[in-house]
Amino acid sequence: MSESNSADQADRRADSAPPCPPWREGGKRLAWVPAVASLLVFLIGLSDILTVFKPTVVSRLHKIKPFVPGFLANVTRTSDVIVGLLLILLALGLRRRKRRAWQAVLALLAFDIVIHFLHFPHLPRETSISVSSIVAIVLLVGLLFFHREFYAIGDPRTRWSVLNVFVVLVMADVAIGLGYLSVGPLAGNYSPFQRLQDVVYELVGVYGPVSWASDARSDLYHLLTSALGLFTLVVTLYLLLRSAQPRPRLTQSDRERISELLDRHGDRDSLGYFALRDDKSVIWSPSGKAGVCYRVVSGVMLASGDPLGDPEAWPGAITEFLADAARHAWRPAVMGCSELGAEVWCREGDLSALELGDEAIVNVADFSLSGRSMRNVRQMVNRVTKSGYKAEVRRVGDIPMQELDRIIRAADHWRGSHTERGFSMALGRLGGRGDDDCVLVTAEENGVLRAVLQFVPWGHDGLSLDLMRRDRNAQAGLNDFLIVESIKAAPGLGVKRLSLNFAMFRAALERGEKIGAGPVLKAWRNLLVFLSRWFQIESLYKFNAKFSPVWEPRFFVYPGGRDAPRIAFAALEAEAFLVWPTFEAKRYARRVGRRLGLHKVRRRYRAYLRARRAQRGLNSQQGPR
């Protein structure tokens, strides 16, 4: 046996037999510790907030006021609300085993205990100890004892983004507070430093040195600054404790290594080329012969398709993937893997698999428009052909750049929305750099572009459907016509098989409409048909079934039933079926600028700069006189 073969076998043994998988060690941890700690922290925070609204609190603060210096009485009154709110917000991070949340809770519990015991000596003996304080002390000791249960690290980018947001919000709060002080009727003359000091104090709920001449304006000022401080606190903590969504780390070197693996093993999986999406990252096996591409969405580390590379090296990449998920307390999941991939994932990661649907694959040699089963497709194709539509099938690298730009602009216009759907079976770009082997299928009517399809490479002899876009005013059945034309042109491109759209829960839809289907299966099918009003479930199944494809099952891999709802929402968010509302500040600012005519000012300023540069260039050419 040669030395190279021995090295390959050693790498495979290292990939398939890790000595101590970190995620298994994390799985043996006490699951009840973060749950109980999170619940107690939430209850303590809620108790601190509700305590302030008791009638006896105000009288107690008046009793300790003569014994404390300055405004400490106001501190004890507002600190309960602030600490309570912080504890409530930190409870979720503690539930996710976040190390930062654990550290912050320890500090807040210690501060909460000090604040409570600060005025106990001045209170009646029977009220000197509260249940909340005792629970806080016990919880503080418990968190220190079970410190190993809170191990999850955060994304390094999160800390800097939170700091930037916090600084911007504080500056905005101070500016608003100073602006309000500049127009309000004050009881005296105050220096800029005193006003700044008053705004900072008011943001944390403490009265400052500035007095108002009007009680109504004073109350409004206190309400405004308190609301601004509370908003800043909530936003900062939310950004600090939310599930990290790190930026994609797919470097040029990673892209080259992925392309090499696709050249060697790309025939195995029709979804392999989608690993080159711009929003994915990759984790490699120790030997570098396999990798897993993923994206983090709402605390879920979501992979798609099978791992890249040699199947014998998959366990090594899966080990690294699950270890990284355990370090960040992310939930690992896989969308759309094959049966072999699901077996490896379940065996190596102790995960569960669910049949998600089927992939429609058309064998070019077996496809024919003849026969009763193809009657609908045949009629659609003939109708589109008689309407004067012509199709053209080309590789992206063979299309002139100007024509390619025209196709991209038209496709973006037909999309009609800024949201790009797809993750597991979509590339997310059209005619991109490095995608010269992709196939574009265009349809024109009297020289006017009406529709476009893009296929991505599937190994050396296959194509996988990426996107379908068409003009809404185009002839019905145009997509059927383009797919048929793609199949006809496949032999000239060296293509033997085409992968069409993915049909979710195809088996349930097909079996549920047959005679003899049970009540449970019929109910499940009726639910899927009902959901098809918002999601393309039944329509995609019927569209794929028209071409008489071969159905290949695809699976969804996840840790367990308890995490299934959270992972399902993350998958819908990744596929852009669930889109959270966002405020596009740049777009709205651009609209406001157009209304105000700022674009004209910007245009004139640019023309002025160009004229200045041209004049300088002319002077330099003429030289000194």
Side-chain angles (χ1 to χ4, degrees):
M1 183 179 297
S2 62
E3 295 181 359
S4 59
N5 293 334
S6 301
D8 291 342
Q9 293 182 359
D11 287 341
R12 291 174 181 175
R13 285 195 299 270
D15 285 344
S16 60
C20 182
W23 79 91
R24 296 189 188 277
E25 182 182 352
K28 295 179 180 179
R29 298 183 183 273
L30 302 177
W32 61 270
V33 172
V36 173
S38 175
L39 178 61
L40 292 178
V41 167
F42 177 83
L43 294 178
I44 292 174
L46 186 62
S47 174
D48 288 343
I49 294 176
L50 296 179
T51 302
V52 178
F53 298 97
K54 291 183 179 180
T56 57
V57 173
V58 178
S59 61
R60 292 179 182 178
L61 292 173
H62 283 296
K63 290 181 180 180
I64 69 170
K65 193 171 183 179
F67 303 96
V68 295
F71 49 81
L72 190 57
N74 291 329
V75 174
T76 56
R77 182 177 65 182
T78 58
S79 61
D80 284 332
V81 178
I82 295 176
V83 172
L85 181 61
L86 289 173
L87 290 175
I88 290 177
L89 295 175
L90 288 169
L92 180 60
L94 207 64
R95 178 67 178 83
R96 296 178 178 175
R97 300 179 183 267
K98 292 296 183 180
R99 190 70 176 181
R100 294 184 201 164
W102 175 82
Q103 295 171 350
V105 167
L106 288 181
L108 287 176
L109 286 177
F111 181 75
D112 187 48
I113 295 171
V114 170
I115 288 295
H116 279 79
F117 280 93
L118 184 64
H119 55 276
F120 281 166
H122 309 289
L123 299 180
R125 186 175 183 84
E126 60 272 15
T127 61
S128 61
I129 298 178
S130 65
V131 177
S132 177
S133 302
I134 297 176
V135 175
I137 296 174
V138 174
L139 180 59
L140 180 63
V141 176
L143 289 176
L144 290 173
F145 181 78
F146 292 106
H147 65 280
R148 294 182 179 274
E149 300 296 328
F150 305 95
Y151 56 86
I153 62 176
D155 180 40
R157 185 176 62 91
T158 304
R159 283 173 275 186
W160 295 110
S161 62
V162 171
L163 181 60
N164 294 334
V165 171
F166 176 75
V167 171
V168 171
L169 289 178
V170 170
M171 293 175 61
D173 296 343
V174 172
I176 294 173
L178 292 177
Y180 192 85
L181 286 176
S182 63
V183 298
L186 303 180
N189 295 325
Y190 298 97
S191 64
F193 177 76
Q194 288 177 323
R195 297 190 180 198
L196 177 62
Q197 183 183 14
D198 185 82
V199 172
V200 174
Y201 283 171
E202 291 286 348
L203 289 176
V204 297
V206 179
Y207 292 121
V210 176
S211 299
W212 289 79
S214 172
D215 293 337
R217 297 295 295 271
S218 176
D219 294 339
L220 181 59
Y221 172 71
H222 296 323
L223 179 62
L224 174 64
T225 52
S226 299
L228 290 174
L230 184 62
F231 175 77
T232 302
L233 176 67
V234 172
V235 171
T236 303
L237 279 179
Y238 168 75
L239 295 177
L240 180 65
L241 299 175
R242 67 174 178 172
S243 299
Q245 297 185 10
R247 294 175 180 173
R249 297 175 306 210
L250 207 62
T251 62
Q252 184 62 31
S253 175
D254 292 332
R255 294 179 181 275
E256 295 175 357
R257 295 175 65 182
I258 291 175
S259 299
E260 292 177 1
L261 292 181
L262 290 176
D263 290 338
R264 298 177 184 176
H265 309 280
D267 297 335
R268 296 182 179 272
D269 188 12
S270 61
L271 308 185
Y273 195 85
F274 299 121
L276 294 172
R277 281 179 60 99
D278 296 331
D279 59 352
K280 285 187 176 181
S281 301
V282 62
I283 287 183
W284 299 100
S285 65
S287 64
K289 298 180 179 180
V292 176
C293 292
Y294 68 94
R295 177 185 171 191
V296 179
V297 182
S298 298
V300 176
M301 195 173 182
L302 191 62
S304 61
D306 292 340
L308 302 171
D310 188 355
E312 295 188 10
W314 287 358
I318 293 175
T319 299
E320 297 296 327
F321 177 86
L322 296 175
D324 194 60
R327 282 192 294 268
H328 295 84
W330 292 330
R331 294 292 183 267
V334 186
M335 287 186 60
C337 62
S338 65
E339 186 172 0
L340 175 61
E343 291 178 357
V344 179
W345 276 102
C346 293
R347 181 180 68 247
E348 298 297 326
D350 194 19
L351 305 175
S352 302
L354 174 68
E355 186 173 347
L356 188 60
D358 296 271
E359 179 186 6
I361 298 176
V362 177
N363 293 320
V364 175
D366 300 335
F367 181 79
S368 175
L369 286 176
S370 61
R372 185 175 181 84
S373 61
M374 300 298 294
R375 179 181 178 183
N376 186 19
V377 178
R378 186 169 60 250
Q379 291 177 348
M380 287 288 185
V381 171
N382 293 333
R383 187 180 307 168
V384 173
T385 304
K386 292 179 181 179
S387 299
Y389 284 85
K390 295 182 180 180
E392 193 170 5
V393 183
R394 293 169 292 177
R395 297 278 184 182
V396 171
D398 299 333
I399 302 177
M401 185 58 63
Q402 294 182 352
E403 184 180 357
L404 183 60
D405 293 339
R406 180 175 62 88
I407 294 174
I408 295 175
R409 287 195 300 268
D412 292 339
H413 177 71
W414 296 332
R415 184 173 61 180
S417 173
H418 295 282
T419 302
E420 182 70 35
R421 288 189 173 181
F423 169 71
S424 57
M425 300 188 69
L427 188 59
R429 59 179 182 268
L430 182 63
R433 180 180 300 178
D435 298 332
D436 293 343
D437 291 335
C438 294
V439 174
L440 280 185
V441 186
T442 56
E444 293 185 353
E445 180 189 16
N446 299 323
V448 179
L449 186 64
R450 293 296 187 183
V452 60
L453 267 65
Q454 178 171 256
F455 290 88
V456 300
W458 173 14
H460 298 91
D461 60 353
L463 294 175
S464 183
L465 182 60
D466 176 24
L467 61 83
M468 296 188 299
R469 293 179 188 169
R470 69 181 183 90
D471 191 348
R472 295 182 179 180
N473 299 322
Q475 176 72 36
L478 187 55
N479 288 332
D480 302 46
F481 168 74
L482 289 180
I483 289 180
V484 171
E485 292 298 318
S486 302
I487 297 175
K488 291 181 180 179
L493 299 173
V495 174
K496 299 180 181 179
R497 50 186 178 170
L498 269 73
S499 172
L500 303 181
N501 282 321
F502 174 74
M504 293 183 60
F505 306 111
R506 179 204 64 88
L509 292 171
E510 182 179 0
R511 298 170 187 169
E513 62 182 357
K514 291 183 178 180
I515 299 177
V520 177
L521 187 57
K522 288 184 177 180
W524 175 229
R525 182 185 181 278
N526 292 334
L527 177 61
L528 294 176
V529 173
F530 175 75
L531 294 176
S532 298
R533 299 180 180 180
W534 298 276
F535 307 104
Q536 295 180 349
I537 300 177
E538 186 183 23
S539 59
L540 284 180
Y541 159 64
K542 291 184 176 181
F543 179 82
N544 293 334
K546 292 189 299 184
F547 300 96
S548 300
V550 177
W551 298 103
E552 292 291 339
R554 290 283 174 173
F555 295 85
F556 182 68
V557 179
Y558 59 101
R562 185 180 61 180
D563 300 319
R566 177 182 175 185
I567 294 175
F569 277 102
L572 291 176
E573 185 178 353
E575 295 287 350
F577 288 110
L578 180 63
V579 181
W580 303 109
T582 57
F583 180 77
E584 299 181 6
K586 292 183 179 180
R587 184 159 57 94
Y588 287 104
R590 197 178 297 114
R591 290 183 180 179
V592 174
R594 291 196 186 101
R595 295 286 180 87
L596 298 176
L598 297 180
H599 63 289
K600 297 181 180 179
V601 178
R602 185 181 180 183
R603 191 181 306 156
R604 293 174 182 174
Y605 179 70
R606 289 183 175 178
Y608 169 75
L609 292 180
R610 286 196 297 266
R612 288 287 303 272
R613 286 195 295 266
Q615 185 64 31
R616 290 177 182 175
L618 181 61
N619 294 337
S620 63
Q621 291 179 2
Q622 292 178 355
R625 295 181 179 178

